Amino acid sequence: MNDFAGMEELMQDFLTEGSELLSDVDSKLIDLEKQPHDRDLLNIIFRGFHTIKGGAGFLNATELVTLCHLTENLFDNLRNGELVLDADLMDAIFAATGQVRQMFDSLAQYRQPEAAPPHLIAALHAALSGEAVVAQAVVSQVAMPESGVDNSMASPDWNILYQTLVGTSPVQVQAESEAALVSPLPAAIHAPASNVETPLSEVRSFGRRGNDIPGNKAPAAGRRENEAGKDNTIRVDTDRLDQVLNLSGEIGLTKNRLTHLRTDILQGRSDAATLLALDESVSQLDMLVVNLQNAVMKTRMQPIGRLFNKYPRLARDLARQLGKDVELVLSGEETEIDKTMIEDLNDPLVHLIRNAVDHGVESAEQRAAVGKAAKSLVHLSAQQEGDHIIIRITDDGKGMRPEVIRNKAIEKGIINAESVSNLDDEQSLGLILLPGFSTKDEISSVSGRGVGMDVVKTNIEKLSGTIGITSVPGKGSEFTISLPLTLAILPVLLLRLCNQSFAVPLSLVREILSVPPNDLQQIAGKATMVVRGEVLPVLSLASLIGWEQTERPEVGVLMQIEKNSFILSADGFAGHDDVVIKSLDTFRPKGVAGVTMSSEGEIILILDIKELLGELCR
């Protein structure tokens, strides 16, 4: 059913602008709560609601107009001094912005939005009349489940809260579907085979997916059903588009020059001047193509602040319902990252911020008992380091104790007691990333089911990233996410095996070395080699992909995945390159992330080393 037939293009324009305005309003509301008398903030928020109301009126979205009009009047009274902003009134305003976002969801499906809940309309009318706002009723009905279960205010319904703030339901991932993911921790910490409920055949590839490649409409495995409705628009600085246009013009001129030279050569001209001109034109074309590629990549880069700005609101609402005083501090919002990665980062960051508020920081009473300030600080930062983006989520809470995590893992059957002795403190902290792990004894709507942190790890690895954890008991914890700048182009090392080329991600390569047969040693029936005093396993590429080894490989690649290092041996090397991954839509063999093509026209398989190692360990 389409309630807006013939207005689809206008609707998309409105939703694009309206969503940005609403995100800005949410961000400004967080600032307004700290500075309730700031007239500039009041004016900005007032104008935001006024603009949304105007667009909704043009589209005849009556219920959205009604809600925005009430909220607009409320801010008109606030900036005129007729009302005073307090915590309860702020809760009602936040509930209104959450309802506006839900109405946007209806509009995105070309349906007239339903009327705002009566309790919310009543709260706004009460505020306009100068009456006290019973905001607890507003918050509870927005964030609590409508069921017969008696949930306390200390356990808000996370699903509904997330949908209210972000506008879409959170991904529903069962822990057992992730149980077979290759862990970055040593093999000793893996659960016994009897505890693994999902076969390794269901391991997901960390390679690029269909919708990571511009113009590819292939469905992506493991994505949410509602991702089809993602915002596919992007805002680009005109200077960057001008640069693309200029480079395209120069490439056109160079192409014309090459066409002329080709004609001369076909007519028999092969003197030194002609060949020199050909060489110069090809070199110029090569330079221009590289510059154009870089310029196009920059058009895909977006400030990560567009993602970060929604989280202070999320942290504020969740903390208020849990009875905590938490402030989310942002830094590095100007850091740029590929737009497709920004979208896929949303769920992992939501989980980490939620855990920081729920698990990490203490209540005001607990903080006072240990001499801490009543307000907890959670820092979310981003910065570029080389060709990677580093995102950190840091809290000043109670931290994590490795011995407690180890005991919980044993209690839940995630790891056996014998394996615990092989774990150091850092590896013990990594146990929280395994499926089924939770430190909560009771299940609430926020946590306790053991589904969350393993989803974070899965989604980060899907972006070819890594996640690290550090914690100091009594001081706080820090989660560090490292991601490549973009998913569109992947630096790879090319290996040769039986006259066939294979590519492995260059980010996993530490060193290229020779593997003389005399240097190989057998330990427990497995080939190993000593590199600068470190004993490393040697795995042949042929054995990983299931080929018969015809010759003894004498070259190897020292690779590192998380904390694990090994040597991958092959017949030879074919150099390195930056490639665009083409997905295999209808058929993808295990251990293959995608394909690319060499300059000679040869098809090269890009290997998913993590999945291959998982197959080898079965």
Side-chain angles (χ1 to χ4, degrees):
M1 178 180 178
N2 187 346
D3 295 332
F4 300 92
M7 306 177 71
E8 289 84 358
E9 187 173 347
L10 290 173
M11 177 65 73
Q12 291 304 317
D13 291 342
F14 167 73
L15 290 175
T16 299
E17 181 183 3
S19 296
E20 291 183 1
L21 280 172
L22 192 59
S23 296
D24 187 56
V25 164
D26 271 342
S27 176
K28 293 297 188 291
L29 284 172
I30 295 294
D31 296 334
L32 183 64
E33 196 167 27
K34 304 170 191 172
Q35 309 168 58
H37 303 293
D38 191 317
R39 289 188 58 83
D40 289 337
L41 288 174
L42 290 170
N43 286 328
I44 291 172
I45 298 169
F46 171 85
R47 287 195 296 270
F49 278 107
H50 181 76
T51 303
I52 293 173
K53 184 188 76 170
F58 184 79
L59 294 167
N60 295 321
T62 308
E63 298 301 341
L64 178 56
V65 171
T66 300
L67 180 58
C68 287
H69 182 67
L70 282 174
T71 314
E72 178 188 25
N73 289 343
L74 192 64
F75 275 93
D76 193 33
N77 290 351
L78 283 170
R79 65 180 186 170
N80 292 334
E82 299 176 21
L83 287 177
V84 177
L85 191 65
D86 57 24
D88 289 338
L89 180 56
M90 183 61 77
D91 283 337
I93 294 170
F94 274 126
T97 62
Q99 188 63 38
V100 170
R101 198 175 296 278
Q102 290 190 24
M103 290 182 173
F104 280 0
D105 285 345
S106 297
L107 293 175
Q109 300 173 29
Y110 304 111
R111 292 187 291 104
Q112 281 284 358
E114 298 179 359
H119 63 270
L120 176 56
I121 298 297
L124 295 176
H125 277 298
L128 287 170
S129 303
E131 301 174 11
V133 177
V134 185
Q136 289 296 335
V138 175
V139 174
S140 63
Q141 294 196 47
V142 171
M144 298 299 292
E146 296 180 2
S147 66
V149 181
D150 182 18
N151 290 302
S152 67
M153 286 304 296
S155 299
D157 188 304
W158 171 246
N159 289 350
I160 298 179
L161 177 62
Y162 181 97
Q163 186 171 1
T164 300
L165 299 180
V166 180
T168 56
S169 299
V171 61
Q172 301 296 320
V173 182
Q174 297 298 325
E176 51 266 27
S177 68
E178 311 292 343
L181 287 168
V182 180
S183 171
L185 302 174
I189 73 167
H190 283 287
S194 60
N195 291 335
V196 179
E197 300 178 5
T198 303
L200 278 167
S201 60
E202 297 184 15
V203 173
R204 294 180 186 171
S205 169
F206 80 96
R208 309 298 189 262
R209 300 297 184 230
N211 64 354
D212 290 332
I213 301 174
N216 193 327
K217 304 299 183 183
R223 303 297 179 107
R224 298 189 301 272
E225 292 179 0
N226 60 10
E227 281 199 343
K230 271 186 179 180
D231 177 19
N232 292 321
T233 61
I234 188 170
R235 179 169 293 183
V236 181
D237 192 318
T238 55
D239 289 340
R240 292 184 175 181
L241 290 179
D242 289 341
Q243 184 182 10
V244 171
L245 181 61
N246 291 335
L247 288 169
S248 300
E250 292 185 35
I251 288 176
L253 294 175
T254 306
K255 183 207 73 170
N256 294 338
R257 175 60 175 157
L258 285 171
T259 301
H260 179 73
L261 290 170
R262 174 178 176 271
T263 302
D264 288 345
I265 292 174
L266 289 176
Q267 292 177 351
R269 289 188 59 182
S270 58
D271 56 278
T274 301
L275 295 178
L276 178 60
L278 176 64
D279 181 66
E280 290 176 348
S281 297
V282 170
S283 298
Q284 183 179 12
L285 181 64
D286 180 66
M287 179 189 68
L288 289 173
V289 169
V290 170
N291 290 339
L292 179 62
Q293 187 180 58
N294 292 334
V296 171
M297 288 306 307
K298 287 181 180 179
T299 65
R300 292 166 52 95
M301 305 298 281
Q302 297 287 288
I304 203 169
R306 296 184 182 180
L307 178 66
F308 280 10
N309 287 338
K310 70 176 67 173
Y311 297 135
R313 158 80 190 275
L314 188 150
R316 180 259 181 203
D317 282 10
L318 184 59
R320 182 161 170 77
Q321 293 183 59
L322 293 173
K324 298 179 180 181
D325 187 4
V326 181
E327 179 182 354
L328 180 63
V329 180
L330 305 179
S331 61
E333 301 99 309
E334 70 285 352
T335 303
E336 291 189 328
I337 191 171
D338 195 301
K339 182 180 185 294
T340 58
M341 298 182 69
I342 287 181
E343 294 169 346
D344 289 335
L345 269 175
N346 185 57
D347 280 342
L349 292 182
V350 164
H351 278 295
L352 290 171
I353 293 170
R354 178 198 65 177
N355 279 6
V357 175
D358 182 30
H359 294 273
V361 302
E362 314 95 328
S363 65
E365 295 77 12
Q366 292 172 328
R367 293 177 67 85
V370 295
K372 292 183 178 181
K375 174 177 286 188
S376 303
L377 295 179
V378 177
H379 291 263
L380 175 61
S381 65
Q383 67 183 91
Q384 181 176 342
E385 294 183 3
D387 60 350
H388 279 69
I389 297 295
I390 307 298
I391 300 175
R392 293 184 174 89
I393 300 95
T394 308
D395 65 71
D396 62 352
K398 56 191 174 183
M400 295 181 285
R401 299 184 182 277
E403 62 274 12
V404 173
I405 292 176
R406 287 193 290 262
N407 292 336
K408 275 290 181 181
I410 295 173
E411 177 186 324
K412 292 181 175 291
I414 295 175
I415 186 173
N416 55 51
E418 180 181 354
S419 300
V420 167
S421 59
N422 297 323
L423 304 182
D424 57 26
D425 287 349
E426 184 177 356
Q427 293 168 343
S428 298
L429 294 176
L431 290 171
I432 70 173
L433 300 174
L434 296 181
F437 185 89
S438 176
T439 57
K440 287 293 186 74
D441 295 319
E442 297 180 0
I443 294 177
S444 72
S445 52
V446 176
S447 58
R449 292 180 174 84
V451 180
M453 293 304 295
D454 63 313
V455 176
V456 171
K457 174 176 173 288
T458 301
N459 289 350
I460 295 302
E461 288 183 342
K462 191 164 58 178
L463 297 173
S464 291
T466 61
I467 180 168
I469 308 171
T470 57
S471 186
V472 178
K475 299 294 184 181
S477 304
E478 180 176 272
F479 291 82
T480 303
I481 298 172
S482 177
L483 296 165
L485 279 176
T486 179
L487 292 178
I489 295 178
L490 179 70
V492 296
L493 177 68
L494 301 176
L495 306 178
R496 297 290 294 179
L497 180 68
C498 300
N499 297 320
Q500 172 68 41
S501 294
F502 295 89
V504 295
L506 197 60
S507 60
L508 304 179
V509 176
R510 275 176 47 189
E511 186 178 349
I512 295 175
L513 39 77
S514 61
V515 185
N518 295 336
D519 290 352
L520 295 179
Q521 302 177 16
Q522 297 292 323
I523 298 180
K526 298 183 182 298
T528 62
M529 181 174 166
V530 179
V531 179
R532 288 183 293 277
E534 184 180 6
V535 180
L536 299 174
V538 178
L539 305 175
S540 70
L541 177 58
S543 65
L544 281 183
I545 63 176
W547 284 17
E548 182 180 354
Q549 185 73 58
T550 57
E551 299 179 6
R552 183 183 295 274
E554 295 187 359
V555 297
V557 183
L558 177 53
M559 309 189 74
Q560 182 169 352
I561 301 178
E562 299 292 341
K563 300 296 182 181
N564 301 325
S565 299
F566 65 96
I567 297 172
L568 181 65
S569 61
D571 293 345
F573 301 107
H576 64 86
D577 200 358
D578 293 337
V579 301
V580 176
I581 295 184
K582 303 295 182 181
S583 63
L584 299 172
D585 300 333
T586 57
F587 172 70
R588 186 179 74 83
K590 287 183 174 62
V592 176
V595 298
T596 189
M597 186 171 290
S598 70
S599 57
E600 293 83 13
E602 177 189 13
I603 293 178
I604 300 175
L605 297 181
I606 302 172
L607 301 179
D608 186 336
I609 298 298
K610 295 180 182 179
E611 189 172 77
L612 287 174
L613 290 177
E615 289 293 306
L616 187 67
C617 296
R618 284 212 299 173

